Amino acid sequence: LYFSMIKIFDMKNRTEEELLNEIVQYFKIYIFENHINASLAVHSKLKSYNINPIIVKYLSKILEENYSPEGVAKALFYPRVLGTSINTSFGTRIQNMFVELQIADGSLIKGMDIEFIDKVDGRKKWCQLKSGPNTINSEDVKPLIKKFSNTIQLARTNKALKNINNTDFIVGVLYGENSELSVHYKEIDKLHPVIIGNDFWHRITGYPNFYNGLVEELHQTIN
């Protein structure tokens, strides 16, 4: 209900503090609390585990310096909770958040996640979202560039999008620094901008230091 009510407001009417609060609340409800509830509902049941009797004693001793029921429980439970589940859902949740909070629109173009007006250059951007600076492999580079190129060529052929250019199709990386980008992202960046961290959040929200403020607010929420 809280987030459905937000939809009646235009993002331009929201201050940086208001937008920060909405995003922090979204993280708290749909990412953090959802992860906790799912972990307890699924991974707290012993029948969901296939226990490896060869290494379970060793893992218990690493965690608890002893072979104990608590050590065994931690050895089983921690990898599930701290594994890839929250990282896997992170990107999808953020994509939904941008749309639900009317920060961006869902893209109708295949392969693109969101569309938004770049608050820095004023041009419309079609964006594929990625979580961090090392989240693609070498085999992902050519297919991604080809997808972007084919879409741009089709748009120009059909005259659907006037004055479109390569820099309007971007990869938005949610966290990290430009210096941390992998060589695979740098290869893509030669043709299509890879915009990361603070720069990305500035362009999508219009607030220059939004990313740093968001990280700080989220950390305070966790404390």
Side-chain angles (χ1 to χ4, degrees):
L1 179 60
Y2 174 79
F3 292 105
S4 65
M5 291 175 65
I6 289 173
K7 293 183 180 181
I8 66 175
F9 298 104
D10 186 90
M11 199 190 86
K12 293 179 181 178
N13 295 326
R14 285 180 278 181
T15 65
E16 182 174 7
E17 185 178 352
E18 288 170 338
L19 189 56
L20 269 173
N21 181 60
E22 290 168 11
I23 292 178
V24 167
Q25 289 300 313
Y26 194 99
F27 266 80
K28 182 180 178 181
I29 295 170
Y30 293 110
I31 296 178
F32 299 151
E33 291 182 1
N34 186 67
H35 175 246
I36 292 171
N37 293 334
S39 297
L40 291 175
V42 177
H43 304 313
S44 61
K45 298 175 182 178
L46 187 60
K47 64 181 181 181
S48 70
Y49 295 90
N50 291 317
I51 300 174
N52 184 338
I54 300 172
I55 63 170
V56 69
K57 183 174 181 178
Y58 165 77
L59 294 175
S60 172
K61 193 166 184 179
I62 287 290
L63 291 168
E64 285 291 304
E65 297 184 354
N66 190 22
Y67 179 45
S68 67
E70 185 176 356
V72 171
K74 287 182 178 180
L76 296 173
F77 189 64
Y78 283 0
R80 295 278 189 94
V81 177
L82 302 177
T84 60
S85 60
I86 190 168
N87 289 313
T88 301
S89 64
F90 179 78
T92 301
R93 283 293 184 185
I94 298 298
Q95 179 183 338
N96 292 342
M97 181 196 74
F98 283 139
V99 176
E100 291 174 25
L101 298 186
Q102 294 190 327
I103 299 169
D105 295 318
S107 182
L108 298 176
I109 296 179
K110 186 177 180 181
M112 299 297 105
D113 296 319
I114 57 172
E115 303 174 4
F116 65 94
I117 301 299
D118 189 322
K119 305 304 185 298
V120 174
D121 64 19
R123 292 182 65 89
K124 186 168 184 178
K125 295 294 193 291
W126 288 263
C127 176
Q128 186 170 114
L129 291 169
K130 299 294 182 182
S131 293
N134 292 289
T135 47
I136 63 169
N137 301 313
S138 58
E139 59 266 25
D140 299 322
V141 174
K142 287 184 178 179
L144 191 148
I145 292 175
K146 188 173 187 295
K147 187 182 297 180
F148 279 18
S149 299
N150 289 346
T151 302
I152 292 171
Q153 186 61 43
L154 181 62
R156 287 172 175 166
T157 301
N158 295 338
K159 298 182 180 179
L161 302 169
K162 296 183 68 174
N163 302 318
I164 194 173
N165 59 49
N166 283 0
T167 60
D168 295 327
F169 281 74
I170 69 170
V171 177
V173 183
L174 296 169
Y175 67 85
E177 302 288 341
N178 195 64
S179 60
E180 298 173 335
L181 285 171
S182 68
V183 293
H184 312 311
Y185 276 125
K186 290 178 180 178
E187 187 67 24
I188 295 169
D189 191 55
K190 293 176 183 178
L191 291 172
H192 302 283
V194 177
I195 302 174
I196 183 171
N198 193 64
D199 189 19
F200 173 74
W201 287 91
H202 178 196
R203 289 173 182 272
I204 199 169
T205 68
Y207 298 114
N209 297 308
F210 193 87
Y211 172 73
N212 293 326
L214 177 61
V215 171
E216 183 177 340
E217 288 291 328
L218 287 170
H219 286 177
Q220 290 180 2
T221 299
I222 296 167
N223 289 337

